[in-house]
Amino acid sequence: MTEGVDTAQLGGQALHRVVFGAEEVQARVRELGREISATYTSADRLLVIGLLKGAFIFMADLVREIRLPLHVDFLVASSYGDRKVSSGDVRLLYDTGVSFEGRAVLLVEDIIDTGTTLKWLIPRLEAREPRSLEVCTLLHKRLAPLEVEPRWVGFDAPNEFLVGYGLDHAEDFRHLPYIASL
Ligand code: IMP
Ligand code: MG
């Protein structure tokens, strides 16, 4: 199909097209890491919170590009199930036990689609009184203006269903090193 696609990883399933290749993604993640490193200082006691499962690969690569001391933790918020369309019903399936008080919290998200997840989550995290709360999303579909826009966006995404680099469809495709559309 396209350069960099290992058909063994797809198990016979077809992709529509590669949207962001592995090297393009890596280069952008390095840039984001540099920008984030220049924004905070050690005094911020940076706490990077990944939204599972979608953010797990992005988060793993991003924190390795941040030249500051930091801690990591995770949240599991679910609104999609196995469907391709957001149900609008967000639930926190796993919450971090770490205190946010006085710390700079950076929430790492895979993709902003309708914005439902962040709209639900951000006020709940703000209520924990972090020193600051910012969002870094790998992909942003920009379907509508959000009440709180992410501070860092990896790529503006086309309005297609995207998989790979952590993003799934019914749990498939998370392990692809590039981002493709179905
Ligand atoms: P939102 O609440 O509609 O902004 O959707 C957020 C979550 O839905 C993301 O964190 C993803 O897990 C999932 N999602 C949204 N769009 C896509 C997509 O194109 N591919 C894979 N997952 C998606
Ligand atoms: Mg998902």
Side-chain angles (χ1 to χ4, degrees):
M1 191 180 71
T2 319
E3 208 186 328
V5 172
D6 174 355
T7 52
Q9 284 184 317
L10 299 174
Q13 300 190 81
L15 299 174
H16 177 55
R17 67 184 176 107
V18 174
V19 180
F20 302 106
E23 286 185 5
E24 190 180 1
V25 171
Q26 291 307 323
R28 184 66 186 124
V29 172
R30 276 195 296 276
E31 278 175 10
L32 291 170
R34 272 199 295 274
E35 289 174 23
I36 290 166
S37 304
T39 300
Y40 298 99
T41 70
S42 318
D44 290 313
R45 298 170 57 233
L46 184 60
L47 175 61
V48 184
I49 304 266
L51 267 176
L52 294 176
K53 295 178 216 172
F56 86 108
I57 292 181
F58 175 43
M59 167 100 163
D61 285 345
L62 182 67
V63 293
R64 283 179 285 183
E65 299 295 341
I66 300 177
R67 303 290 183 261
L68 287 170
L70 60 82
H71 290 177
V72 300
D73 214 321
F74 297 93
L75 292 173
V76 182
S78 176
S79 66
Y80 268 55
D82 282 351
R83 296 178 300 277
K84 280 194 196 172
V85 180
S86 173
S87 63
D89 164 36
V90 182
R91 283 167 302 156
L92 211 49
L93 304 179
Y94 169 81
D95 197 357
T96 162
V98 173
S99 169
F100 288 11
E101 250 174 273
R103 306 190 69 168
V105 174
L106 177 63
L107 185 65
V108 177
E109 168 71 304
D110 56 354
I111 185 165
I112 300 176
D113 182 40
T114 62
T116 307
T117 307
L118 286 183
K119 188 180 176 188
W120 185 89
L121 194 56
I122 286 174
R124 282 163 177 84
L125 299 185
E126 288 283 12
R128 300 178 190 187
E129 300 184 351
R131 172 190 284 214
S132 64
L133 175 65
E134 301 287 356
V135 175
C136 176
T137 186
L138 175 64
L139 298 158
H140 194 341
K141 287 191 184 168
R142 301 197 191 276
L143 298 182
L146 306 177
E147 276 166 38
V148 183
E149 286 292 344
R151 172 115 179 224
W152 290 283
V153 176
F155 301 100
D156 283 359
N159 191 13
E160 296 171 61
F161 197 83
L162 302 177
V163 297
Y165 201 69
L167 289 88
D168 73 306
H169 175 244
E171 295 303 326
D172 285 327
F173 308 114
R174 290 197 198 275
H175 63 314
L176 305 179
Y178 49 87
I179 297 164
S181 66
L182 275 192

